[in-house]
Amino acid sequence: MCCPTLFGLEGIVADELRFGGGLTTVRAENGRVLFEGDERTLAWANLNLRCAERVLIRLGSFPAASFDALFEGVRALPWEQFIPADGAFPVKGHCLDAALHSVPDCQKIIKKAVAARLGEQYHQSWLEETGAKYQIQFAIMRDTAELYLDTTGAGLHKRGYRANSNAAPLRETLAAAMVKLARWRGREPLIDPFCGSGTIAIEAAMIAQRRAPGLLRAFEAEKWACIAPSVWQQAREAALANVDTDTAADIVGSDIDPACVQLSAENARKAGVASAIRFEQADALERDYSDPGVLFANPPYGERLLDVQTAEKLYAGLGQALAASPRKQYILSSDPLFERCFGRKADKRRKLYNGMLKCELHMYFKHSPRRSAKTDRDSLSGFTKNS
Ligand SMILES: C[S@@+](CC[C@H](N)C(=O)[O-])C[C@H]1O[C@@H](n2cnc3c(N)ncnc32)[C@H](O)[C@@H]1O
């Protein structure tokens, strides 16, 4: 199987599979994680993975430098093990650095090859495709084709609690990854002072309560005849039994915009974690951060909200508000000058992608309030617009 991930999250998803799923054959690669398992693994992964984008069954991989090779390679795969006589099997995918570079042509060839195979197996010259959907995905890279079946449907970031969002929401899988990168498990107080639609606080509450992110939604492969309904039922029951609502996590989300506060509260209610989070209206620059704990922030970048200059002024104000705070701070921004504006060099950085937008998670966990602002200013003095 294969889980595509946002770039930068491969290692976290591999850990989720190893430590959450108890899997041993797990391999993280660029933008994806490969692993082995059966239908129970598939159901578990869809329901429980917080940071993967979807769960695919990898049917095979073969050299495909010509349309003939692509057709024969696809026809040789055991599609009938998954797709029944009435199954609908749309095809989508991409080609990169390959002799076969036309996606529509490859789609047509793959569709024909799968239809030929299924027609032979089911002794039918015409396939109705009126049943459940078996989305075929392909990737042709450097003349090697890989063929998958998508078991997830709508991406795993669609948890089912955020029908509504503010203008620049964070992808749920990325919000969960920020919390995981900080190794926060519910014991320290947590605040997100730029909560928007509440994603970070809600994902954190779900982590604290060990609430599987997929419990509120359905998956495409739940309609598949090749997976017994009991497999899904057992996976859902196990995930439900794992929820621990007694955890006394202290989670606060705040935003300057009252509409965002209301939206966050509504989303938390839909996610089933309303009682675990306090949402309030507040200016992030005027909050008191003197208590220990963790702070997560996804302030405006100057891309979708605010202009760059206003965003950078905000970072400077935030830097001042947090200068003496004992809190560990994890701040996501796409602005290359973030640290200079904020006034402190991060203890560690991690490149992450919010959709197509390249960002950096600036991590401050060694910060001592006694460290003078001057030391930080000095260490940042080499920064220029071009550095
Ligand atoms: C990029 S969005 C956060 C998105 C959020 N992570 C989510 O998933 O929906 C930035 C948020 O910061 C808020 N904001 C801007 N200036 C603020 C300030 N001074 N204090 C608090 N919130 C502010 C905006 O209203 C907006 O909701």
Side-chain angles (χ1 to χ4, degrees):
M1 294 181 207
C2 170
C3 282
T5 71
L6 292 174
F7 284 105
L9 304 193
E10 302 87 345
I12 301 176
V13 173
D15 281 351
E16 289 192 275
L17 288 160
R18 285 192 195 107
F19 304 118
L23 304 183
T24 47
T25 43
V26 178
R27 200 170 81 229
E29 294 183 353
N30 243 355
R32 67 181 191 171
V33 182
L34 301 170
F35 59 103
E36 282 175 21
D38 57 15
E39 62 267 48
R40 280 182 295 276
T41 317
L42 183 158
W44 177 88
N46 271 302
L47 274 161
N48 291 280
L49 290 177
R50 296 185 194 279
C51 305
E53 292 305 304
R54 53 186 64 247
V55 182
L56 309 174
I57 297 172
R58 191 165 175 257
L59 268 103
S61 169
F62 50 86
S66 69
F67 286 130
D68 280 348
L70 181 62
F71 184 89
E72 291 308 332
V74 172
R75 192 164 67 163
L77 297 174
W79 297 100
E80 67 284 356
Q81 283 182 16
F82 301 94
I83 309 178
D86 69 345
F89 51 101
V91 180
K92 67 178 175 195
H94 60 269
C95 305
L96 198 75
D97 198 10
L100 301 182
H101 51 81
S102 160
V103 171
D105 287 342
C106 292
Q107 271 173 305
K108 272 186 222 148
I109 295 287
I110 293 170
K111 181 90 190 176
K112 267 192 194 160
V114 178
R117 170 93 185 194
L118 294 177
E120 269 162 34
Q121 297 289 325
Y122 296 126
H123 309 291
Q124 287 180 10
S125 56
W126 178 252
L127 296 158
E128 290 288 346
E129 296 196 56
T130 50
K133 181 164 147 191
Y134 296 76
Q135 177 71 57
I136 296 174
Q137 282 202 15
F138 71 88
I140 304 180
M141 277 198 280
R142 277 164 239 109
D143 298 339
T144 298
E146 291 199 65
L147 271 295
Y148 308 95
L149 275 174
D150 176 18
T151 72
T152 301
L156 286 178
H157 66 278
K158 299 212 166 144
R159 318 290 208 206
Y161 66 75
R162 204 180 70 182
N164 302 318
S165 61
N166 73 330
L170 195 59
R171 202 177 262 228
E172 293 82 340
T173 41
L174 183 52
M178 285 171 65
V179 177
K180 284 196 159 256
L181 280 168
R183 299 183 192 282
W184 185 87
R185 289 188 190 88
R187 283 187 277 279
E188 298 157 283
L190 179 155
I191 186 167
D192 173 4
F194 297 90
C195 72
S197 40
T199 322
I200 298 174
I202 293 170
E203 292 294 325
M206 295 207 300
I207 288 172
Q209 296 188 353
R210 295 193 286 159
R211 192 178 282 272
L215 272 174
L216 294 174
R217 55 161 287 174
F219 304 96
E220 205 61 55
E222 281 181 271
K223 298 181 213 138
W224 291 6
C226 56
I227 302 178
S230 59
V231 169
W232 289 99
Q233 199 185 330
Q234 281 163 15
R236 280 191 185 274
E237 280 168 11
L240 266 175
N242 209 23
V243 178
D244 175 9
T245 47
D246 289 341
T247 53
D250 174 358
I251 305 174
V252 174
S254 64
D255 201 287
I256 201 162
D257 180 350
C260 286
V261 177
Q262 206 181 342
L263 181 61
S264 296
E266 179 60 16
N267 287 338
R269 189 190 59 71
K270 285 194 214 137
V273 293
S275 61
I277 313 172
R278 212 168 66 244
F279 287 108
E280 353 175 291
Q281 186 197 354
D283 184 337
L285 308 192
E286 284 172 12
R287 289 203 73 108
D288 173 11
Y289 299 105
S290 56
D291 289 340
V294 187
L295 172 141
F296 290 96
N298 166 221
Y301 302 151
E303 297 262 346
R304 289 183 281 184
L305 299 173
L306 304 186
D307 58 80
V308 175
Q309 258 182 345
T310 318
E312 290 183 349
K313 244 191 228 158
L314 190 71
Y315 301 159
L318 186 63
Q320 279 162 18
L322 289 169
S325 172
R327 280 183 185 258
K328 288 181 264 174
Q329 297 149 32
Y330 297 83
I331 306 172
L332 187 74
S333 173
S334 66
D335 189 334
L337 294 182
F338 171 80
E339 286 175 34
R340 184 182 164 78
C341 302
F342 187 65
R344 269 190 288 141
K345 254 187 166 175
D347 297 316
K348 205 173 160 189
R349 292 171 205 94
R350 177 119 172 192
K351 214 173 279 166
L352 295 172
Y353 284 79
N354 188 14
M356 297 302 287
L357 194 61
K358 185 170 137 205
C359 299
E360 243 171 339
L361 181 64
H362 304 270
M363 308 187 221
Y364 300 89
F365 42 76
K366 294 184 198 154
H367 178 59
S368 147
R370 278 200 300 272
R371 189 164 77 176
S372 77
K374 182 177 177 311
T375 319
D376 283 318
R377 266 200 310 277
D378 290 348
S379 70
L380 286 165
S381 59
F383 268 85
T384 68
K385 264 263 175 210
N386 301 322
S387 64

